Each structure stands twice: as C-alpha cells, then as structure tokens.
Amino acid sequence: MGSGQVTDWQGKNVTVAGLGVSGIPAAKVLHGLGAHVTVVNDGDDEGSRAQAAELESLGVTVRLGDGDSLPDGTELIVTTPGWKPDKPLFQAAGEAGVPVWGDVELAWRLRGLDGREPAPWLAVTGTNGKTTTVQMLASILEAAGLRTAAVGNIGVSLLDVVLGEERYDVLAVELSSYQLHWAPSLRAHSAAVLNLAPDHLDWHGSMEAYAADKGRIYEGNRVACVYNAADPATEELVRAADVEEGCRAVGFTLGTPAPSQLGVVEGILVDRAFVENRQKNAQELAEVGDIDPPAPHNIANALAAAALARSFGVPATAVRDGLRAFTPDAHRIAHVADVDGVAYVDDSKATNTHAAQASLAAYEPIVWIAGGLAKGAVFDELVAGAAKRLRGVVLMGADRALIHDALTRHAPEVPVVDLDRTDTGAMLQAVQEARRLARPGDTVLLAPACASMDMFANYNRRGDAFAEAVRELGAR
C-alpha cells in the first residue's frame, strides 16, 4: 500500500472506520473491487444496525460498538473524515505499520482505474469560503466550455465521480482539514488555501496541526499554489510545501495586485499572474458588480476561484461569465426581507468566528443574532473588531455566555438580550427582540459564530428558522 496506484484489490484485508456518508460508499466500492472488507463503528443504534444489515447482505463484515480495536490481518484502514487521529484504532494501526487513508485518498488512488486519463484536480481549502469558491470555480470552468463538477466536501462524493461513467476535463474539489489529514499522496494541478483561523482545534489538537493539515493541499502542486496576500499564514504554507519544479506562488488581494497576483483596481478584478510580461501587463477579468453578493470576503473568494481557473488556462471572458452565472447557496449572507426599513440577513453558515467576522464587516449598523456551540472558540477579537458597528446583540444557544462575556469586556455600551432557552422556538423570540432594537436603515444579521447542533439539526435548519421568523414579522 505505497504511494502509487493500487490496481489489484482482490483479497486485500481492508478495514473501513465508520459507517457515515463516506464510510458506506467506501465499503461498497472496496468490496466490489474484491477486497475483504470489515467495517468498524462506534455506534450500535437502530440506524447503524440498518446500515450494517445492508452491507452484510453484500458480504461485508460489520462490527458495531467496536470502533477502537484493529481487526486481525488488516492491511489498510480507510476512515471517514470525522474520526479523530488520536483514536486507539489509529494508534494500533501505527504500531502495526498499517496505513490509514481517508475517502479522498482512496478516490485519488482509484483515479484512472478504468484506463482512462484521469481529470486533474483544482483544489480548495480554508477555514471559510470553501464551498462558495469551489462553486464559483466550477461556474467559471463551465463558462469556458469545460466538462467539470464541484465535488468533495461540498457533498458530492469523489469516489462516485472518479469511478462514474461521466468523463470530466477538470474537477473543482473542496477539501476539509479532516480530509487533507488522511490524504498523504494527493497531488493537485493547482490549489488554494483561502484563509486560516482557529477552527476544529478539538479535532486537530492545536492550531499548528490544523494549519499543517490545510497546507497538505499544496504538496506536489504542478502549476500554481494560490494564497491570500492578506493572510500571511497561507503564504507560509506555500513556502513550506514541496511542489513540482516550475510551480508558482500566486497571491490574491482586495487591493492593487503586484506581479504574480490577482487583485482589484477601481472596481475591476485584474490578473497580473497569468499574463505575458506580468511586470508591466494586467488582464481585466470581471467587475466587482459581477459578484453576488459583492461583500469583501466574497470578492476574495472570486479572486481565488479566478486564479485557479486561470492556472488551468481559462480565458478572461469565462471568468466574467462564470461569476455572473453563479448564485450563492442559501444561508450565506442571504437577504431574507426588509421589514419597516430594516434589512434581515441570514448568514447561518457563519459557524465560526472567522466567518462571522467577514459577515459583520459587510454591514453597518447591525443588530447581531449570535450563539450556539462554540467548538472551543474565543470571541474577544471578533467582538472588539465589530463593537463600533453594533446597535445591539441578541444571544441564544448553549455557549452564549462566552460571547456575552466578550461583549462585557469590549462593547459594554451595546445593549444585549440574553435568551435563556435552547428550544427551536427561541429563534422567533430572537428575531422579535432584534426588531425591537433595530432602527430603519439597520441590518439584523444572523451570523452565529457558533455551530448549530445544540438547537438545530444543522445550520440550514437554523437559517430556515430565522427566515420563517422574519416572514412572520412581515406578515403582522
């Protein structure tokens, strides 16, 4: 199980760690290739038993409630991304010399299994903006007439894509830090790290480990390592990467670009990286008005997408056409409605402080609705930076006290409503309290800076609850 392609899986003993959304497809694929597959899973609930029964009917062995012990004879572990590296199963694998791959690594190794030339990957990671950037990138590539798909952490299985019948010219791939941790041999055509801020530290163990896993996306890049000129940590990851000879560092900036950068000049997105004589020349790509919404962090996403597309040889007109054709997903700075002269904006996707910071920077003045599960985050920097923009704050969720404490320290004059309830109906009350605090011309912004699972199934449900509450306001 070295670093090359594996063409003969017949009879190999593979353990799949976890039944989740990536574990089940991996087990089925490996079984179909002739491997002896054993799935181990921590849970033993009704849902797990139903999934196990389906796999066992195919001939896959499943061990429920036994996710920590290494099955005898295991030659390879394929893990779902969420399993932490410090699990006893992986420690046992390390001691036994058994490699551990994630679903992305498995997909990378299975590329070209049918003898066809595999599509190159343009890869994107970062604490925030990954999904939007990958969708923008796919839209640009499509505008250039290329067969492509937005895949990976975005919800489209890479395994399905690399083993499916449809052929692609290039893939726009979103990768999480979890996926990159378990993808040692991934080698992209070009890749971007959009930004770095503390997130998932409970999983990675430290900011250094988190950053190192993000930086893996640059390893072996062939054409361009795209970094954020406003975030020096991303450029440091480029410097540390071992890339192919001739691969270039390409920055993106919201200011005027230097040579080998993309940036903005008087409302125009310009390229000084993928042009002849980049010391003197620049290529106009699009207007800021072509980006929806034209918030600063979204312009940065568009520049990163444009850089990756240009690294693949896409013409400037396709960048413009692709950005114009792109429409953002729900719950990402989505304008819900205006009620009595107040704008209500849903950014439920802002599940960490870095995302909330970008959202808060886009409006003024703001009545901020925040709170949920903090995931180990601290809020002082976020609150201190946003204090002057805040008309008022409505807090809800399990870890709201952490935000309240930061507001007390850094914005003591801002009125705060603390909702001491975690039922889903709290959102209606939060919106009503926000309306009371807001004045015409203000924005009521749901940018929780926290995960949603204390009160909602996911951030989508949280955003839906906000939109429903706003519609109820407007109906009164």
Side-chain angles (χ1 to χ4, degrees):
M1 297 286 173
S3 60
Q5 305 297 90
V6 179
T7 54
D8 184 13
W9 291 88
Q10 202 67 38
K12 291 198 180 298
N13 293 309
V14 182
T15 295
V16 173
L19 276 167
V21 291
S22 61
I24 292 171
K28 289 180 177 178
V29 163
L30 290 163
H31 175 73
L33 292 171
H36 294 309
V37 180
T38 301
V39 178
V40 297
N41 195 63
D42 287 334
D44 187 10
D45 52 32
E46 187 176 338
S48 299
R49 287 193 287 274
Q51 292 171 326
E54 180 192 357
L55 290 173
E56 286 171 340
S57 70
L58 300 174
V60 173
T61 303
V62 182
R63 296 185 186 179
L64 296 177
D66 184 22
D68 285 340
S69 56
L70 183 67
D72 291 342
T74 297
E75 298 171 77
L76 170 71
I77 293 175
V78 174
T79 182
T80 54
W83 282 37
K84 292 185 179 181
D86 61 0
K87 273 189 75 71
L89 174 69
F90 303 136
Q91 292 175 346
E95 291 165 7
V98 174
V100 182
W101 298 356
D103 60 323
V104 168
E105 178 74 9
L106 180 61
W108 181 256
R109 301 289 192 118
L110 293 177
R111 294 156 59 252
L113 200 63
D114 57 3
R116 298 184 306 197
E117 182 66 28
W121 292 13
L122 299 175
V124 176
T125 196
T127 305
N128 295 298
K130 295 184 293 295
T131 299
T132 299
T133 302
V134 163
Q135 290 172 330
M136 285 177 167
L137 173 58
S139 184
I140 293 168
L141 295 169
E142 286 172 359
L146 295 164
R147 294 168 298 179
T148 191
V151 298
N153 194 53
I154 202 166
V156 180
S157 166
L158 271 163
L159 273 175
D160 290 344
V161 170
V162 300
L163 295 175
E165 291 185 5
E166 189 163 354
R167 302 193 66 166
Y168 296 98
D169 298 310
V170 59
L171 294 174
V173 186
E174 177 185 335
L175 297 173
S176 72
S177 55
Y178 299 169
Q179 291 171 318
L180 287 162
H181 181 88
W182 301 117
S185 70
L186 168 67
R187 300 292 182 264
H189 172 285
S190 297
V193 179
L194 302 175
N195 43 58
L196 277 175
D199 200 16
H200 306 301
L201 303 192
D202 52 345
W203 194 93
H204 292 275
S206 70
M207 185 63 193
E208 291 73 22
Y210 172 63
D213 282 335
K214 288 291 193 190
R216 285 182 181 224
I217 202 166
Y218 290 136
E219 289 298 313
N221 278 202
R222 299 206 312 271
V223 176
C225 294
V226 177
Y227 67 92
N228 184 347
D231 190 339
T234 64
E235 188 174 6
E236 284 302 312
L237 294 178
V238 176
R239 293 184 197 282
D242 184 10
V243 299
E244 285 198 14
E245 189 173 346
C247 181
R248 293 169 49 207
V250 174
F252 62 90
T253 173
L254 295 178
T256 301
S260 291
Q261 291 185 344
L262 279 72
V264 183
V265 178
E266 297 179 351
I268 305 292
L269 274 63
V270 297
D271 173 1
R272 290 191 68 189
F274 302 100
V275 291
E276 286 187 24
N277 191 2
R278 54 184 177 268
Q279 296 296 328
K280 295 182 179 179
N281 294 340
Q283 172 68 56
E284 293 189 9
L285 298 176
E287 296 181 10
V288 166
D290 295 325
I291 300 166
D292 179 23
H297 67 283
N298 212 38
I299 298 169
N301 294 338
L303 288 165
L308 289 172
R310 295 283 283 166
S311 80
F312 199 70
V314 163
T317 51
V319 175
R320 180 199 64 204
D321 294 345
L323 290 175
R324 285 179 178 174
F326 168 75
T327 52
D329 278 357
H331 314 300
R332 286 180 175 80
I333 324 187
H335 180 267
V336 176
D338 288 332
V339 180
D340 297 333
V342 175
Y344 289 79
V345 174
D346 167 15
D347 196 19
S348 184
K349 180 68 168 63
T351 58
N352 56 48
T353 56
H354 192 258
Q357 183 178 36
S359 195
L360 287 162
Y363 301 97
E364 186 177 8
I366 297 163
V367 178
W368 180 29
I369 300 177
L373 288 176
K375 301 183 293 180
V378 292
F379 298 92
D380 291 85
E381 184 180 343
L382 173 66
V383 169
K388 292 179 181 177
R389 296 172 173 269
L390 298 177
R391 173 85 68 199
V393 180
V394 181
L395 296 176
M396 59 198 294
D399 292 330
R400 65 189 183 280
L402 296 173
I403 305 176
H404 203 161
D405 290 348
L407 285 161
T408 301
R409 286 189 289 274
H410 303 288
E413 73 291 344
V414 175
V416 178
V417 177
D418 193 313
L419 298 184
D420 187 17
R421 53 189 286 195
T422 54
D423 62 290
T424 53
M427 184 62 82
L428 178 57
Q429 186 182 348
V431 169
Q432 290 168 340
E433 294 288 353
R435 181 188 201 180
R436 186 177 58 78
L437 291 167
R439 301 176 193 173
D442 289 359
T443 297
V444 172
L445 175 65
L446 174 69
C450 292
S452 58
M453 287 79 74
D454 56 332
M455 295 171 62
F456 302 92
N458 49 49
Y459 73 80
N460 295 293
R461 294 278 177 84
R462 180 169 62 188
D464 290 341
F466 175 78
E468 286 165 19
V470 171
R471 281 191 284 271
E472 195 163 317
L473 278 193
R476 292 182 177 183

